[in-house]
Amino acid sequence: MKLAVVGGGSTYTPELIDGFARLRDTLPIEELVLVDPAADRLELVGGLARRIFAKQGHPGRIVTTADLDAGVADADAVLLQLRVGGQAARNQDETWPLECGCVGQETTGAGGLAKALRTVPVVLDIAERVRRTNPNAWIIDFTNPVGIVTRALLQAGHKAVGLCNVAIGFQRKFARLLDVIPDQVHLDHVGLNHLTWELGVRLGGPDGENVLPRLLAEHGDTIAGDLRMPRAIVDRLGVVPSYYLRYFYAHDEVVRELGTKPSRAAEVAAMEKELLAMYGDPALDEKPALLAKRGGAFYSEAAVDLASSLLGSGGSPVQVVNTYNRGTLPFLPDDAVIEVQARVDGTGATPLAVPELDPLYAGLIANVTAYEDLALEAALLGGRATGRAGGRDAVFKALLAHPLIGQFEYAEALTDKLIAHNREHLAWA
């Protein structure tokens, strides 16, 4: 079995390598190719990756290359974990929206739209090159914004499934609180990528006992603290929202906080510098503890589970993924991409039925889906030359539709700032 990781020079990659090494019986990789144009980073990461495999006795071969076509040739699955523009672009996404009093974040709001505009054309180009080389390869997308990127891939006819680590993070957290193994915890996880709620926590499987009320009663302070939301709000909702919902439920508070400290991108950039120095130490043969602060917890386990199910080598039959709605949420189009529990096998992902959603959640999901429709339309313009007025209008409409913006004065100002900071990535600009 051959796997390729596009964006293999990421400081995330040792987390992924560690999962591949520990779970080699589930996903028997013979060749793993790390693809990245940043040769200096790639060699540091690749060296550590080989040492991790060697220490854990993994027999697979790790190859590093800047040649995308060669790297993905004959791959059974291709994982995408790239960041167009790097941490510098992320820093912009997290700062210029604050100038308009709007949240600055890399996956939602105006910053999230900027990331989508930069990313979608690049991902589609990569996917086309994968298809030319190996049309049967699965594409697993971990590149944000996952919902929009996965929808772009699916609409272009690619064999793609989107992956996020939010659900597996909740699963592991709830398992610890309940003192059970993670496989015993099934989540009624419903929504869009980075806009989800845990409506139930079931023991033993989809039809098991819902212990969410007990979790909230016994561990509500811990759960609310991790979400950085008031316990009273979580109790009142009776569900566990993703921590990304704080951008919606406490937007103005978050904006005030972000204005008083360095951006997360600045923190991560400093952390990455330290991590890369560690990776260059030939004595290091395991992922360093600092990597846990980088983000992406449990990403490797989710990626192994998904890849092994798609490739028929094992894996859980039911997993939380991003895939087409197909009537699962009746108030959304079939081709909307949702994040829910799905049955995963060699044919792809089929969403399971979900509980009927309260309008409190359904309304926000529908609103953000409308924004994502417009965001994808604007992002697809980024890959081709078109009239500047048409491109600007597409960006403005997407921003106006976003529930974190929604006012024409803000949308106008944010449109100008987005274009100014991303002109090199927009063919029409």
Side-chain angles (χ1 to χ4, degrees), residues 166-246:
V166 168
I168 195 172
F170 274 130
Q171 183 200 41
R172 298 307 198 259
K173 181 181 301 179
F174 295 155
R176 288 195 303 272
L177 295 175
L178 294 165
D179 196 24
V180 299
I181 62 172
D183 287 351
Q184 288 293 306
V185 177
H186 176 93
L187 304 177
D188 290 339
H189 179 98
V190 181
L192 310 177
N193 180 242
H194 290 183
L195 193 85
T196 52
W197 297 262
E198 310 307 327
L199 304 184
V201 178
R202 302 184 182 277
L203 289 181
D207 299 319
E209 176 192 3
N210 181 13
V211 297
L212 179 56
R214 172 156 64 93
L215 266 173
L216 292 177
E218 297 177 1
H219 303 285
D221 287 341
T222 297
I223 293 170
D226 289 343
L227 298 173
R228 300 187 64 201
M229 294 185 191
R231 164 78 185 267
I233 294 298
V234 177
D235 285 340
R236 190 171 182 180
L237 293 175
V239 303
V240 179
S242 160
Y243 44 85
Y244 286 93
L245 264 298
R246 188 167 182 262

Side-chain angles (χ1 to χ4, degrees), residues 56-339:
Q56 299 198 31
H58 195 298
R61 184 168 74 105
I62 295 178
V63 178
T64 58
T65 182
D67 187 332
L68 175 67
D69 296 319
V72 301
D74 301 320
D76 297 287
V78 178
L79 280 71
L80 305 181
Q81 57 171 35
L82 56 147
R83 182 183 295 280
V84 180
Q87 293 298 331
R90 176 180 179 176
N91 185 65
Q92 292 179 350
D93 295 343
E94 293 177 344
T95 51
W96 55 261
L98 297 174
E99 298 170 10
C100 296
C102 295
V103 70
Q105 211 277 330
E106 65 160 342
T107 64
T108 192
L113 176 60
K115 192 172 197 300
L117 297 181
R118 294 193 303 270
T119 305
V120 166
V122 173
V123 165
L124 289 178
D125 176 66
I126 292 170
E128 285 299 329
R129 292 164 71 176
V130 170
R131 180 154 56 189
R132 287 198 300 268
T133 303
N134 181 7
N136 294 317
W138 279 101
I139 295 176
I140 297 174
D141 177 57
F142 194 67
T143 297
N144 282 318
V146 167
I148 295 172
V149 172
T150 301
R151 187 169 180 181
L153 288 165
L154 290 172
Q155 286 187 176
H158 298 289
K159 294 175 60 177
V161 181
L163 181 65
C164 181
N165 68 318
V166 168
I168 195 172
F170 274 130
Q171 183 200 41
R172 298 307 198 259
K173 181 181 301 179
F174 295 155
R176 288 195 303 272
L177 295 175
L178 294 165
D179 196 24
V180 299
I181 62 172
D183 287 351
Q184 288 293 306
V185 177
H186 176 93
L187 304 177
D188 290 339
H189 179 98
V190 181
L192 310 177
N193 180 242
H194 290 183
L195 193 85
T196 52
W197 297 262
E198 310 307 327
L199 304 184
V201 178
R202 302 184 182 277
L203 289 181
D207 299 319
E209 176 192 3
N210 181 13
V211 297
L212 179 56
R214 172 156 64 93
L215 266 173
L216 292 177
E218 297 177 1
H219 303 285
D221 287 341
T222 297
I223 293 170
D226 289 343
L227 298 173
R228 300 187 64 201
M229 294 185 191
R231 164 78 185 267
I233 294 298
V234 177
D235 285 340
R236 190 171 182 180
L237 293 175
V239 303
V240 179
S242 160
Y243 44 85
Y244 286 93
L245 264 298
R246 188 167 182 262
Y247 296 117
F248 295 81
Y249 292 163
H251 175 272
D252 293 354
E253 179 183 348
V254 172
V255 169
R256 288 192 295 270
E257 288 177 2
L258 294 175
T260 63
K261 61 182 182 180
S263 69
R264 173 63 178 165
E267 294 175 355
V268 170
M271 200 179 304
E272 287 194 334
K273 184 177 181 180
E274 188 174 352
L275 283 169
L276 289 170
M278 291 179 177
Y279 295 171
D281 180 357
L284 183 67
D285 56 7
E286 60 186 13
K287 64 178 183 179
L290 178 62
L291 188 56
K293 298 180 180 180
R294 171 64 179 82
F298 307 113
Y299 159 42
S300 63
E301 295 176 34
V304 168
D305 209 15
L306 179 54
S308 59
S309 293
L310 292 172
L311 299 176
S313 64
S316 305
V318 175
Q319 301 170 38
V320 173
V321 298
N322 285 261
T323 191
Y324 271 152
N325 178 43
R326 299 190 189 97
T328 308
L329 300 180
F331 53 89
L332 295 184
D334 284 350
D335 65 350
V337 166
I338 60 174
E339 186 173 291

Side-chain angles (χ1 to χ4, degrees), residues 2-3 29-33 50 53 58-63:
K2 176 180 176 180
L3 266 67
I29 299 171
E30 297 167 286
E31 182 178 358
L32 177 64
V33 184
R50 294 185 185 97
F53 263 31
H58 195 298
R61 184 168 74 105
I62 295 178
V63 178

